Amino acid sequence: NAGVTQTPKFQVLKTGQSMTLQCAQDMNHEYMSWYRQDPGMGLRLIHYSVGAGITDQGEVPNGYNVSRSTTEDFPLRLLSAAPSQTSVYFCASSYSFGKPYEQYFGPGTRLTVT
Amino acid sequence: ELKVEQNPLFLSMQEGKNYTIYCNYSTTSDRLYWYRQDPGKSLESLFVLLSNGAVKQEGRLMASLDTKARLSTLHITAAVHDLSATYFCAVDTNFGNEKLTFGTGTRLTIIP
C-alpha cells in the first residue's frame, strides 16, 4: 500500500494563478479531508468528503474547490491564488466506521504564493 | 464552535525528566487523537482515546482522557532526545473522524 499520496511536494504560484493539488489513497477509505497548516495555528479543515460524490465545507473553505468522483482521489483546486493561501496542505483519509479510527495523513504540499 | 487548546505551546526539558502536555476542548466529543509531527514531515498517529477514563501507553508516552473535564493529557516519562517533535491533539466535531479540530500544537525540545 502506498497509503495517502500527494503531488506536488512543492509549488510556487503567482497571485491569480490557479492550480490543483492532487491527493490519492489506496486503502479504500470512505472519508477524505484537506487541511492547511500555518505556523502557530495548528491544522485547519478546508473541505472534506464522506464518499464519492459527496463533499462539504470545513472551517476555511473560501478560495478552494473540491470534487470526489472516485473513492481513491480527492483533488483540491485553488481558483485564484492569493498570498494568504501560502501554507502547507495535508490530505487525510480514514474509514467511516470501525477500527482503526485515526486519520492517515499524506506527506503534504508546501505552497508559496507570491 | 469547538475550540481545542493545548498548553504549553513550547516546552524545553532535559533528558530523563518527566512532563505533561495538556489538551482542553470546549464541547462534548466522541474521540480524542494525539499526533506527532517532526519538522518538515507529516503527522504520525500516536493514540486514539475512545471513552472517559481511557489510558493508552506506548514506550515513554502515556495519554489519558477525562471527558467530564474535557481534558486529555500526554505524559512523557524519562524524556529522550528522540521525543523532540511537535505534538498535536485533535477532537472529532461530528462523531465522525472526517472532521477533526486540532490544537495549536506543543513544540517539545529535549535537551541532552
Side-chain angles (χ1 to χ4, degrees):
Chain A
N1 280 355
V4 181
T5 59
Q6 291 182 237
T7 57
K9 291 187 178 179
F10 301 93
Q11 183 71 49
V12 178
L13 290 179
K14 295 186 186 304
T15 298
Q17 288 184 318
S18 63
M19 78 159 295
T20 299
L21 308 184
Q22 301 292 343
C23 175
Q25 52 91 11
D26 61 358
M27 297 174 281
N28 204 30
H29 286 168
E30 296 88 355
Y31 290 173
M32 296 186 75
S33 308
W34 275 103
Y35 295 85
R36 60 177 288 173
Q37 183 176 30
D38 302 299
M41 298 189 72
L43 279 77
R44 292 181 292 167
L45 182 66
I46 305 171
H47 285 285
Y48 66 97
S49 168
V50 299
I54 306 170
T55 64
D56 206 345
Q57 298 180 349
E59 182 185 352
V60 288
N62 292 342
Y64 307 95
N65 273 356
V66 292
S67 61
R68 183 101 180 267
S69 57
T70 67
T71 300
E72 294 78 21
D73 300 297
F74 192 42
L76 178 72
R77 297 182 186 84
L78 280 70
L79 307 174
S80 177
S84 61
Q85 293 179 305
T86 294
S87 189
V88 181
Y89 291 85
F90 289 101
C91 178
S93 71
S94 62
Y95 289 108
S96 60
F97 59 91
K99 296 180 181 179
Y101 297 104
E102 59 262 53
Q103 290 198 354
Y104 294 83
F105 284 81
T109 295
R110 187 174 296 272
L111 175 67
T112 303
V113 183
T114 61
Chain B
E1 178 187 348
L2 174 60
K3 291 191 184 300
V4 181
E5 295 183 347
Q6 285 181 240
N7 67 83
L9 298 183
F10 299 93
L11 177 56
S12 180
M13 52 191 292
Q14 287 186 318
E15 279 190 329
K17 300 291 187 182
N18 303 334
Y19 209 81
T20 300
I21 298 171
Y22 297 89
C23 175
N24 289 91
Y25 54 99
S26 60
T27 64
T28 302
S29 179
D30 200 33
R31 287 185 283 266
L32 189 133
Y33 306 78
W34 283 97
Y35 286 91
R36 168 183 172 143
Q37 185 179 38
D38 293 304
K41 302 294 186 182
S42 186
L43 279 77
E44 173 191 355
S45 177
L46 295 175
F47 302 110
V48 181
L49 303 171
L50 302 177
S51 61
N52 187 43
V55 177
K56 289 195 172 180
Q57 182 165 5
E58 180 73 33
R60 301 174 186 274
L61 300 178
M62 183 175 70
S64 65
L65 178 61
D66 181 343
T67 58
K68 294 179 181 177
R70 297 175 184 167
L71 170 69
S72 180
T73 60
L74 180 66
H75 187 74
I76 303 148
T77 302
V80 294
H81 181 69
D82 286 352
L83 291 178
S84 296
T86 299
Y87 294 85
F88 292 94
C89 64
V91 177
D92 277 346
T93 59
N94 197 37
F95 299 102
N97 53 1
E98 77 280 14
K99 295 175 63 177
L100 297 185
T101 298
F102 281 81
T104 51
T106 296
R107 184 177 294 180
L108 174 64
T109 303
I110 309 297
I111 303 167

